[in-house]
Amino acid sequence: QVQLVESGGGLVQPGGSLRLSCAASGFSLGYYAIGWFRQAPGKEREGVSCVSTGDGSTYYADSAKGRFTISRDNAKNTVYLQMINLKPEDTGVYLCAVARTGSRCSAFVPGEYRYWGQGTQVTVSS
Protein backbone atom coordinates (compact mmCIF):
# COMPACT_ATOMS: atom_id res chain seq x y z
CA GLN A 1 0.00 0.00 0.00
CA VAL A 2 1.45 3.33 -1.07
CA GLN A 3 1.54 5.73 1.84
CA LEU A 4 3.19 9.01 2.80
CA VAL A 5 3.33 10.12 6.42
CA GLU A 6 4.33 13.64 7.41
CA SER A 7 5.74 14.58 10.81
CA GLY A 8 7.74 17.28 12.54
CA GLY A 9 5.20 20.05 12.74
CA GLY A 10 4.45 22.03 15.86
CA LEU A 11 4.08 25.43 17.47
CA VAL A 12 7.04 27.75 16.96
CA GLN A 13 7.66 31.44 17.53
CA PRO A 14 8.31 33.79 14.62
CA GLY A 15 11.91 33.43 13.54
CA GLY A 16 12.04 29.82 14.69
CA SER A 17 12.82 26.67 12.77
CA LEU A 18 11.29 23.29 12.09
CA ARG A 19 12.24 20.25 10.06
CA LEU A 20 9.41 18.32 8.50
CA SER A 21 9.70 14.72 7.37
CA CYS A 22 7.78 12.85 4.68
CA ALA A 23 8.25 9.11 5.12
CA ALA A 24 7.17 6.75 2.37
CA SER A 25 6.03 3.16 2.61
CA GLY A 26 4.83 0.70 0.01
CA PHE A 27 7.10 2.10 -2.70
CA SER A 28 10.62 3.35 -3.22
CA LEU A 29 10.51 7.11 -2.89
CA GLY A 30 13.87 7.44 -4.64
CA TYR A 31 12.30 6.94 -8.07
CA TYR A 32 9.87 9.83 -7.77
CA ALA A 33 9.78 13.59 -7.47
CA ILE A 34 8.21 14.64 -4.18
CA GLY A 35 6.46 17.91 -3.50
CA TRP A 36 5.57 19.77 -0.32
CA PHE A 37 2.38 21.79 -0.16
CA ARG A 38 0.64 23.70 2.60
CA GLN A 39 -2.91 24.70 3.29
CA ALA A 40 -4.02 27.42 5.66
CA PRO A 41 -7.60 27.64 6.94
CA GLY A 42 -9.87 29.09 4.31
CA LYS A 43 -7.15 29.14 1.67
CA GLU A 44 -6.29 26.97 -1.28
CA ARG A 45 -3.54 24.40 -1.10
CA GLU A 46 -0.31 25.95 -2.35
CA GLY A 47 2.95 24.45 -3.45
CA VAL A 48 6.00 25.13 -1.32
CA SER A 49 8.85 23.04 -2.71
CA CYS A 50 9.68 20.00 -4.80
CA VAL A 51 12.69 17.77 -5.30
CA SER A 52 13.27 15.69 -8.41
CA THR A 53 15.07 12.40 -8.47
CA GLY A 54 18.15 11.80 -10.59
CA ASP A 55 20.01 15.11 -10.45
CA GLY A 56 18.03 16.12 -7.38
CA SER A 57 16.87 19.42 -8.82
CA THR A 58 14.94 21.49 -6.30
CA TYR A 59 12.22 24.07 -6.75
CA TYR A 60 10.73 26.59 -4.36
CA ALA A 61 7.78 28.90 -4.24
CA ASP A 62 8.80 32.53 -3.96
CA SER A 63 7.54 32.56 -0.37
CA ALA A 64 9.94 29.73 0.51
CA LYS A 65 13.10 30.82 -1.30
CA GLY A 66 16.00 31.54 1.03
CA ARG A 67 14.20 30.11 4.07
CA PHE A 68 13.19 26.54 3.19
CA THR A 69 15.43 23.70 2.04
CA ILE A 70 14.13 20.45 0.64
CA SER A 71 16.25 17.31 0.68
CA ARG A 72 15.87 13.59 0.31
CA ASP A 73 17.43 10.53 1.92
CA ASN A 74 16.58 7.66 -0.36
CA ALA A 75 18.14 5.15 2.02
CA LYS A 76 15.61 6.20 4.65
CA ASN A 77 12.84 6.55 2.07
CA THR A 78 12.22 10.06 3.40
CA VAL A 79 12.06 13.63 2.11
CA TYR A 80 12.69 16.55 4.45
CA LEU A 81 11.72 20.20 4.49
CA GLN A 82 13.96 22.34 6.66
CA MET A 83 12.31 25.66 7.47
CA ILE A 84 14.06 28.60 9.11
CA ASN A 85 13.04 32.17 9.94
CA LEU A 86 9.43 31.08 10.10
CA LYS A 87 6.71 33.71 9.80
CA PRO A 88 3.08 33.70 10.94
CA GLU A 89 2.00 33.43 7.31
CA ASP A 90 3.77 30.06 7.13
CA THR A 91 1.07 28.64 9.40
CA GLY A 92 -0.89 25.75 7.91
CA VAL A 93 -1.07 22.02 7.37
CA TYR A 94 1.95 20.82 5.44
CA LEU A 95 1.49 17.85 3.14
CA CYS A 96 3.74 15.88 0.83
CA ALA A 97 2.79 14.06 -2.35
CA VAL A 98 4.25 12.23 -5.34
CA ALA A 99 4.51 13.99 -8.68
CA ARG A 100 2.36 12.33 -11.33
CA THR A 101 5.10 12.90 -13.87
CA GLY A 102 7.36 10.50 -12.01
CA SER A 103 10.97 11.56 -11.66
CA ARG A 104 10.63 15.28 -12.50
CA CYS A 105 8.85 17.90 -10.47
CA SER A 106 5.56 19.17 -11.81
CA ALA A 107 4.26 22.68 -11.52
CA PHE A 108 2.91 23.56 -8.09
CA VAL A 109 -0.58 22.44 -8.99
CA PRO A 110 -2.15 19.99 -6.52
CA GLY A 111 -3.76 18.01 -9.35
CA GLU A 112 -0.30 17.18 -10.67
CA TYR A 113 0.47 15.22 -7.49
CA ARG A 114 -0.99 12.11 -5.85
CA TYR A 115 -0.71 9.83 -2.82
CA TRP A 116 -1.18 12.67 -0.39
CA GLY A 117 -0.30 12.20 3.26
CA GLN A 118 -2.51 13.40 6.12
CA GLY A 119 -0.31 16.40 6.79
CA THR A 120 1.40 17.89 9.80
CA GLN A 121 0.31 21.14 11.44
CA VAL A 122 2.73 24.06 11.58
CA THR A 123 1.73 27.03 13.70
CA VAL A 124 3.92 30.12 13.85
CA SER A 125 2.79 32.40 16.62
CA SER A 126 4.14 34.36 19.54
Side-chain angles (χ1 to χ4, degrees), residues 27-123:
F27 73 107
S28 180
L29 180 149
Y31 292 107
Y32 298 94
I34 303 297
W36 278 101
F37 287 73
R38 68 186 180 192
Q39 188 160 19
K43 294 188 176 181
E44 293 186 354
R45 189 168 297 183
E46 63 173 348
V48 174
S49 183
C50 184
V51 58
S52 295
T53 188
D55 64 1
S57 297
T58 57
Y59 304 87
Y60 298 93
D62 288 343
S63 60
K65 288 178 182 176
R67 300 188 300 124
F68 293 6
T69 303
I70 191 170
S71 62
R72 63 193 307 151
D73 185 337
N74 292 337
K76 294 184 177 180
N77 224 22
T78 301
V79 169
Y80 303 98
L81 185 68
Q82 177 70 50
M83 307 186 295
I84 65 171
N85 192 21
L86 283 162
K87 305 175 181 180
E89 51 263 42
D90 293 319
T91 294
V93 176
Y94 283 69
L95 310 100
C96 60
V98 179
R100 291 184 181 273
T101 52
S103 61
R104 305 298 299 174
C105 285
S106 304
F108 287 140
V109 176
E112 296 295 320
Y113 293 78
R114 58 179 174 169
Y115 303 132
W116 295 87
Q118 292 299 308
T120 184
Q121 176 70 45
V122 171
T123 303

Side-chain angles (χ1 to χ4, degrees), residues 6-23:
E6 303 91 339
S7 62
L11 173 63
V12 63
Q13 292 186 342
S17 302
L18 284 173
R19 188 178 80 155
L20 307 183
S21 298
C22 170

